[in-house]
Amino acid sequence: MSNDRPAPEGVDPTKPNAARIYNYLLGGKDNYEADRMVAQRMLSIAPDNRTLATLSRAFLTGSAKMAAETGIRQFVDIGSGIPASPSVYETVMAVDPDSRLASIDYDPVVIAHTNAMFCDLPGVTPMLGDFREPDDIIARLPEAGIDLSEPIALLLVGLLHFVLEDEKPAEVMARLHEVMAPGSYVAFTHGATESDKTWVQQTVTDTVGSTAQFVFRSRADVATIFKGFDLLDPGIVPVQQWLSDDLPDTRMVVLGGICRKS
């Protein structure tokens, strides 16, 4: 029998959820049996996926810290997921406690967890919003004290491989590029087609039709999404290469990149 807590109203615990799968891989407890089953099948093919989840988290906080150290004080984290420590909030507030963070996710369960963790903390605003609806996010960013006439750091870590082709990720990014001030940064990750083929097939089969449905893209396809931005060195590469020179390869390849609006 499952010891899972009852699912909140409107949440179907029988369908895998991307945020909860990631939460499980990070060692969290905010997940259900359907999420764990998908995660365990992933781990059976590629046990290093748990390590990769940790590396992706390090890329997220590292890129936020880099932006903060260049003087950015406004952060927009879309697809923020269930909070885990170290968090973007902890990272940027350590640089400047007057920083502002909009923590955005389209999953009401994620927002409930975010509200609980960040309740009454200054400078952070949890927001229910969908990357696929950029105009709604743009219109509401002032609620979080985000002024788009000044540079921001836009964090898209663990998000874009859940945005399907017919949801037009390049057009969404073009719209966001249009409103971002010069000097703004974007940090992103994306699952790559160069991942282990068995793992790719298993992931696609397990997640089709769910909120965790995965799409893998090549480095060239990912670069197309960020047309108009200037990519920083070393470019669009496995996240390990952003963190250290001696980290091992993983069967799933997650690409990372940081770019800037001139």
Side-chain angles (χ1 to χ4, degrees):
M1 293 182 65
S2 172
N3 292 320
D4 290 334
R5 71 191 71 179
E9 184 177 354
V11 173
D12 184 353
T14 67
K15 291 185 177 181
N17 172 278
R20 297 194 305 257
I21 292 170
Y22 187 56
N23 174 264
Y24 177 78
L25 292 173
L26 287 172
K29 298 181 179 180
D30 296 300
N31 47 74
Y32 297 102
E33 184 177 0
D35 310 305
R36 295 189 290 272
M37 289 176 64
V38 171
Q40 287 293 345
R41 283 195 290 271
M42 292 178 176
L43 291 169
S44 69
I45 297 171
D48 52 18
N49 272 356
R50 182 159 270 150
T51 298
L52 184 56
T54 302
L55 295 177
S56 295
R57 191 78 187 177
F59 174 80
L60 170 66
T61 56
S63 56
K65 182 179 180 182
M66 183 217 75
E69 289 176 342
T70 68
I72 301 292
R73 295 295 178 262
Q74 305 186 110
F75 299 83
V76 179
D77 186 4
I78 305 181
S80 54
I82 295 171
S85 185
S87 67
V88 171
Y89 178 83
E90 292 166 338
T91 300
V92 302
M93 293 300 171
V95 177
D96 187 338
D98 291 328
S99 297
R100 297 179 299 282
L101 168 65
S103 185
I104 303 172
D105 205 286
Y106 81 132
D107 187 338
V109 176
V110 168
I111 297 303
H113 283 287
T114 307
N115 276 321
M117 177 171 281
F118 295 138
C119 179
D120 298 327
L121 291 179
V124 59
T125 304
M127 295 175 60
L128 189 65
D130 193 331
F131 172 82
R132 304 164 185 86
E133 299 177 0
D135 287 326
D136 175 65
I137 290 176
I138 291 165
R140 294 172 53 214
L141 284 177
E143 298 172 17
I146 304 296
D147 179 1
L148 289 173
S149 69
E150 298 293 332
I152 67 169
L154 176 62
L155 307 173
L156 305 174
V157 173
L159 169 71
L160 291 170
H161 39 238
F162 300 116
V163 182
L164 307 183
E165 289 303 322
D166 61 3
E167 294 169 330
K168 303 177 179 178
E171 291 187 16
V172 174
M173 279 310 307
R175 175 63 180 133
L176 293 171
H177 178 277
E178 181 182 350
V179 301
M180 292 168 66
S184 294
Y185 289 88
V186 183
F188 60 89
T189 60
H190 201 300
T193 52
E194 60 203 77
S195 300
D196 177 86
K197 301 307 179 187
T198 303
W199 194 92
V200 169
Q201 185 57 54
Q202 183 67 62
T203 302
V204 170
T205 300
D206 277 341
T207 62
V208 66
S210 75
T211 60
Q213 185 166 344
F214 224 92
V215 56
F216 294 87
R217 295 184 174 96
S218 68
R219 299 189 195 202
D221 289 339
V222 174
T224 299
I225 296 174
F226 295 94
K227 183 178 180 181
F229 289 94
D230 301 322
L231 277 168
L232 277 58
D233 290 334
I236 300 174
V237 297
V239 290
Q240 289 93 322
Q241 295 182 32
W242 279 97
L243 300 173
S244 176
D245 293 330
D246 57 358
L247 291 171
D249 295 334
T250 48
R251 294 187 71 178
M252 178 182 176
V253 178
V254 169
L255 302 171
I258 300 176
C259 53
R260 186 175 184 272
K261 180 175 177 179
S262 311

